[in-house]
Amino acid sequence: MKQLISIKVVQFFLFEKLDLQIGDICGIFGPNGSGKSSLLDAVQIAMFGANTRLASFNAQADEHMSNTRSIRGYCLGQYGESIEDRVRDRATTYITLLWRDTETREPVSMGVCLYAGIEGEGHEVLGRYLLRGVELSMGDHLDLIDGQERPREWAAFRHQLQERSKVSGEDPLFRDSDRYMRAVLVALRGSSVPLTDAFARAFRFALRMRFDKTVDQIVRNDVLCLLYTSPSPRD
């Protein structure tokens, strides 16, 4: 089984860089607008190869409220209703997911590189990548320029991927999202023929799952109260 152990983002939403480590049990907490649902959307973008037709951004938001989120908005760090409410004017965005096989401990790195700027209406997918047996670090995505960390240019990052993939002999780059998704599912599930449409439907359904309580109520009343009221080992 492959287990997701890290979500790495560069110039995505409010984050200039973030390496979120995922454990067996993981909770993400924070006030509204702090980036909780944006991390789920980052996973969507990486898993779907930035195919906007398949994505369902901010799926847990109130369905009666307007949803202005888009890949371009995420790249530019849009935090309000208008693109004028943004963190950056242009971005080279990386989203990399790192998986590890629970038995063999072999890593799998996969993700996308995107570009967006205020001069354009949408976004550009610079590349999609998948490397078996390679554990990409946050440093692989960054360069130090004039004393500041900046996103590595896609051309340099692509060359790095090609060099590191020589061990496996597999081409790490994918031009279209369908081929990328099929390769991702094979890497995560094994040799079975992947059903990308079924996977996309299941993914979107899971994101839209509703509960009879708010997440805040579940955490406060069910999780924390259970922890505080559980008998100690001596009882």
Side-chain angles (χ1 to χ4, degrees):
M1 183 180 73
K2 304 294 192 302
Q3 181 178 7
L4 180 64
I5 63 171
S6 174
I7 304 170
K8 305 179 195 301
V9 297
V10 175
Q11 288 195 337
F12 182 80
F13 193 44
L14 305 180
F15 311 109
E16 283 302 307
K17 66 171 186 176
L18 176 69
D19 188 353
L20 180 65
Q21 301 299 307
I22 308 295
D24 292 337
I25 300 177
C26 181
I28 302 174
F29 304 94
N32 290 342
S34 62
K36 301 185 299 298
S37 61
S38 69
L39 291 173
L40 290 178
D41 289 346
V43 173
Q44 281 193 82
I45 294 170
M47 292 297 293
F48 292 152
N51 186 331
T52 54
R53 178 178 59 85
L54 300 177
S56 178
F57 295 143
N58 200 20
Q60 281 293 321
D62 190 326
E63 58 190 21
H64 298 294
M65 296 176 63
S66 62
N67 185 4
T68 59
R69 299 195 182 187
S70 66
I71 290 181
R72 177 177 182 250
Y74 272 135
C75 292
L76 299 182
Q78 180 181 344
Y79 53 84
E81 293 296 316
S82 168
I83 196 62
E84 298 302 318
D85 302 322
R86 64 179 184 270
V87 174
R88 56 191 74 89
D89 291 341
R90 53 193 53 84
T92 298
T93 296
Y94 287 99
I95 306 173
T96 294
L97 306 181
L98 176 60
W99 304 76
R100 192 179 303 283
D101 191 290
T102 54
E103 295 183 0
T104 67
R105 310 305 297 166
E106 180 187 45
V108 176
S109 297
M110 63 183 63
V112 295
C113 179
L114 312 162
Y115 174 80
I118 56 173
E119 67 277 4
E121 291 298 322
H123 66 278
E124 180 182 359
V125 181
L126 299 180
R128 304 173 179 89
Y129 46 92
L130 167 66
L131 298 96
R132 300 173 190 253
V134 174
E135 184 172 331
L136 291 175
S137 69
M138 181 58 77
D140 292 324
H141 301 75
L142 301 167
D143 280 324
L144 194 63
I145 301 175
D146 297 329
Q148 291 187 331
E149 288 183 324
R150 302 293 299 168
R152 181 161 292 171
E153 294 290 337
W154 167 244
F157 188 82
R158 180 182 60 200
H159 176 73
Q160 169 186 252
L161 297 179
Q162 291 170 327
E163 288 296 311
R164 298 182 70 174
S165 67
K166 288 180 178 179
V167 176
S168 66
E170 298 177 342
D171 186 353
L173 303 174
F174 299 84
R175 290 182 177 274
D176 65 82
S177 60
D178 287 339
R179 285 187 60 246
Y180 168 82
M181 283 182 59
R182 287 195 293 270
V184 163
L185 293 180
V186 169
L188 296 181
R189 295 184 57 193
S191 59
S192 59
V193 178
L195 301 175
T196 54
D197 289 342
F199 166 73
R201 289 195 301 270
F203 199 112
R204 291 196 300 269
F205 174 78
L207 289 172
R208 291 193 176 101
M209 288 182 66
R210 301 291 179 178
F211 303 95
D212 59 353
K213 301 178 183 178
T214 66
V215 174
D216 181 72
Q217 288 175 318
I218 293 172
V219 172
R220 291 176 183 273
N221 301 330
D222 298 340
V223 178
L224 295 182
C225 286
L226 178 64
L227 290 176
Y228 286 124
T229 58
S230 294
S232 65
R234 293 175 297 177
D235 293 343

